[in-house]
Amino acid sequence: MPVTKDPDNASPAGPAIILVEPQLGENIGMVARAMANFGLSELRLVNPRDGWPSEKARAAASRADHVIDAVKVFDDLASALADLNFVFATTARQRDGFKAVRGPVEAGRVLRARHTLGQRTGILFGRERFGLYNDEVGLADEIVTFPVDPDFSSLNIAQAALLMSYEWMKSGLEDETTTNFTGPEMKPASKEELHGLFAYLEGALEARGYFRPAPKKPKMVDNLRAVLTRAGFAEPELKVLRGIISSLDRFSPVMPRGDGSPGDDPRRLPAAARAGKAEADRPAHKPAGDDEDAPPLGGKGTDND
C-alpha cells in the first residue's frame, strides 16, 4: 500500500509508533510491516538493544522499506516524544495514577480526531519481555489496553502495533465495514425463476416417490419451499441448482448411479438405437456360464438400492 501524505507533505499521515528498547530486529521489522499495511510510516526507536540499522529488521519488514529507511533512533524516551502533542501508552497491566484508559476502537478515533486538528500524535509500546515502566507510562497522556484474556494478556509487540494500526485506519473510513474488494455482484433471481425451480424439483422428487405418504405431500412441499426461499438466491445460483437437479434426474433404474455419464442414458436414444445398444450390452451383464434367461446382477436396480 502506498504511503499517504498530508496535502502539504509537512507531516506523516498518522501517529508515530514509538518502540522503547526493542530487543529483536525481527520484531522491529514486523512492526514496520504492520504499519505499512495500514498506512503508517513514522517509526521511532528508543535505545534498540542490538543497535541500528538492522538487516534482520529489514528482512522481516517484507518490503516495507520506506518505513525502515525513515526510522529515527533516540537515546531516551523524552526525546522521542518531545515534538508530539498527544501520546497513548499501550499496556496490559493495571496502573496507579489518574490517566484515562481507553480500548483500541475508542483510541483510534481519538487519534484520528486529534490528527484532523493538526496535532502530532504517537502510540508508545514497551519492551518485548515486560512492557513499559511506570515512569514511562507517566510521559504519555492516556492509556490504551486491549480486551485480552486476563490469564494470558501479553501480546507480541508486532501484534499490538498491528491492532492499533488497524484501528487507526478504520477510524478514517466513512464506513468501518468497507473492504478493498467485494464479492461478485449478482442479480437476484426473480420469483418466476424461483417458482420454476420449485416446480422442476417437485416433479423430479414426485417421479422418485419422495412424497410418502401421499397425504403429507402438501406439508413436505411447503417445507421444501421454505428452505429454498430462505437463501435469497441470485440468478446464477439458481442455474447451478437447476443443472444439478437436471443431472440427477436423468439417472434411472435403466441407468443406475455410477454407470457413466447421464448423456449415455439409453432412454435418450431413438428406439432402434436403444434396441441395438441393449443387445450389444447384454453379454456384459451376464455371469459366465449362466443360461440365456438368467436375470442380470444387481438386484432390483432401483435408485434406492
Side-chain angles (χ1 to χ4, degrees), residues 186-194 232-236 238:
M186 295 187 291
K187 179 182 177 182
S190 68
K191 295 304 180 186
E192 180 181 8
E193 291 168 322
L194 188 59
F233 291 111
E235 282 184 2
L238 280 192

Side-chain angles (χ1 to χ4, degrees), residues 120-202:
R120 298 294 308 280
T121 62
I123 310 171
L124 183 58
F125 297 87
R127 301 156 187 85
E128 289 95 327
R129 291 182 61 190
F130 53 87
L132 297 165
Y133 292 123
N134 285 335
D135 62 327
E136 293 167 338
V137 174
L139 295 178
D141 297 278
E142 296 185 7
I143 289 173
V144 59
T145 190
F146 303 102
V148 294
D149 187 336
D151 294 329
F152 198 76
S153 59
S154 177
L155 284 175
N156 174 275
I157 189 172
Q159 294 173 331
L162 178 71
L163 288 172
M164 285 307 302
S165 299
Y166 167 71
E167 292 300 339
W168 158 259
M169 172 161 275
K170 191 174 71 172
S171 68
L173 300 175
E174 292 184 9
D175 179 357
E176 290 189 351
T177 63
T178 297
T179 56
N180 288 336
F181 58 90
T182 61
E185 294 186 6
M186 295 187 291
K187 179 182 177 182
S190 68
K191 295 304 180 186
E192 180 181 8
E193 291 168 322
L194 188 59
H195 294 165
L197 177 68
F198 291 160
Y200 188 71
L201 179 58
E202 183 180 337

Side-chain angles (χ1 to χ4, degrees), residues 47-69:
N47 192 23
R49 186 190 68 179
D50 297 334
W52 192 262
S54 167
E55 288 306 314
K56 290 182 179 180
R58 185 176 295 278
S62 188
R63 296 182 298 180
D65 292 328
H66 62 283
V67 179
I68 296 296
D69 291 338

